[in-house]
Amino acid sequence: MTQLALVIDLNVCVGCSACVTSCKEWNTSSEGGGGMVDKNPYGKDPTGTFFNRVQTFEVGEYPNVETVHFPKSCLHCEDPPCVPVCPTEASYKRKEDGIVLVDYDKCIGCKYCSWACPYGAREIDEKQKVMKKCTLCVDRIYDTSLREDRRKPACVLACPTSARLFGDVHDPMSEVSVAINERGGYQLMPEWGTRPSNHYLPRRKMKSQVTEESLNRIDNPLKKEEQRAPVSSDLPSLDDFLF
């Protein structure tokens, strides 16, 4: 069975939130998102619905600390706990591509699915009173009016560092599967037994050798100035003409 998913490379994610804003823009203006209220997303009591968020935190102890940017959205689990708890069957998993969706016409906003989700990936739309989540831009990836290379989730297309990959994780030859196998991709909290489809590529420690020669720029402007003939102090200066 096909299982579409995202693979996120934590090694190159810079926390720019381009994925967040592009997701917001696309799903607010498209039919798939149905509009997402966003009145006060950053205040003391934030309001607003987001399909994708980037969590930023520090790891380590001073002075050996580093910043980690961790994007998170619905993981489209292969065994999603949000589906069986829904009393109206509004939450469901598609057989053809494994995407987990919410039928807004059936949703009553009881929040059972958000309580069942161990990843906190579902949010209530306070305006429409329904639960919403990442759809993998299902209305975009199957839009034949778009070029084939544009049939990807908005967040994937917007990422400036190509930290987000999209494809079938069940296809061993797909770009996402190859990245998972070669880079040690992992699932988030596998102990819950939900089998998340989205994977993360771990950060890698990289050491660079910097030599003294590499610090000397050939085009250093200071060196070019040193090559100029010295200016005689006897010549008139601008001060002589102004004062």
Side-chain angles (χ1 to χ4, degrees):
M1 184 183 72
T2 299
Q3 179 60 66
L4 299 180
L6 296 172
V7 173
I8 301 173
D9 189 348
L10 298 179
N11 197 57
V12 295
C13 176
V14 294
C16 66
S17 291
C19 56
V20 178
T21 54
S22 62
C23 170
K24 189 74 171 182
E25 187 278 332
W26 175 260
N27 288 289
T28 299
S29 59
S30 68
E31 296 180 359
M36 297 188 290
V37 65
D38 183 12
K39 294 181 178 179
N40 181 30
Y42 303 113
K44 180 180 179 181
D45 298 314
T47 60
T49 308
F50 288 82
F51 288 180
N52 177 54
R53 295 179 184 269
V54 177
Q55 301 173 345
T56 299
F57 53 92
E58 291 186 352
V59 296
E61 296 183 1
Y62 179 82
N64 300 315
V65 296
E66 56 182 314
T67 302
V68 176
H69 304 291
F70 196 89
K72 191 175 69 172
S73 58
C74 173
L75 303 174
H76 297 277
C77 304
E78 298 198 40
D79 188 13
C82 57
V83 171
V85 301
C86 182
T88 63
E89 298 184 351
S91 293
Y92 64 100
K93 184 176 179 66
R94 291 166 40 126
K95 294 182 179 180
E96 60 268 32
D97 52 23
I99 300 177
V100 179
L101 296 174
V102 179
D103 187 337
Y104 299 151
D105 293 332
K106 293 182 179 180
C107 180
I108 58 176
C110 66
K111 301 182 181 180
Y112 282 1
C113 57
S114 66
W115 297 336
C117 176
Y119 309 105
R122 294 194 172 215
E123 301 185 11
I124 184 74
D125 188 319
E126 295 294 347
K127 184 177 181 179
Q128 297 186 5
K129 304 300 181 182
V130 295
M131 300 304 297
K132 294 187 175 181
K133 54 174 286 300
C134 166
T135 65
L136 285 181
C137 291
V138 67
D139 56 329
R140 182 185 182 93
I141 61 178
Y142 292 111
D143 188 352
T144 55
S145 66
L146 298 174
R147 296 199 321 260
E148 187 172 356
D149 63 330
R150 305 299 294 176
R151 298 175 198 170
K152 298 179 181 179
C155 61
V156 176
L157 295 172
C159 182
T161 61
S162 299
R164 304 174 76 90
L165 306 177
F166 172 70
D168 182 7
V169 293
H170 283 182
D171 179 3
M173 302 304 294
S174 67
E175 180 185 18
V176 288
S177 294
V178 171
I180 292 172
N181 293 330
E182 293 183 353
R183 297 275 307 280
Y186 64 92
Q187 298 169 315
L188 185 61
M189 298 193 302
E191 63 272 15
W192 285 98
T194 61
R195 294 188 296 159
S197 299
N198 286 7
H199 285 66
Y200 291 89
L201 303 182
R203 290 166 60 86
R204 293 174 291 176
K205 296 292 184 180
M206 302 177 66
K207 294 183 178 180
S208 58
Q209 297 288 340
V210 180
T211 61
E212 185 176 354
E213 291 77 9
S214 64
L215 298 178
N216 296 325
R217 290 178 49 185
I218 299 176
D219 60 341
N220 192 328
L222 296 178
K223 288 187 175 182
K224 293 182 179 179
E225 291 179 0
E226 291 173 358
Q227 296 173 359
R228 296 178 181 177
V231 179
S232 174
S233 58
D234 297 334
L235 296 176
S237 65
L238 185 61
D239 293 340
D240 296 329
F241 295 99
L242 297 178
F243 301 98

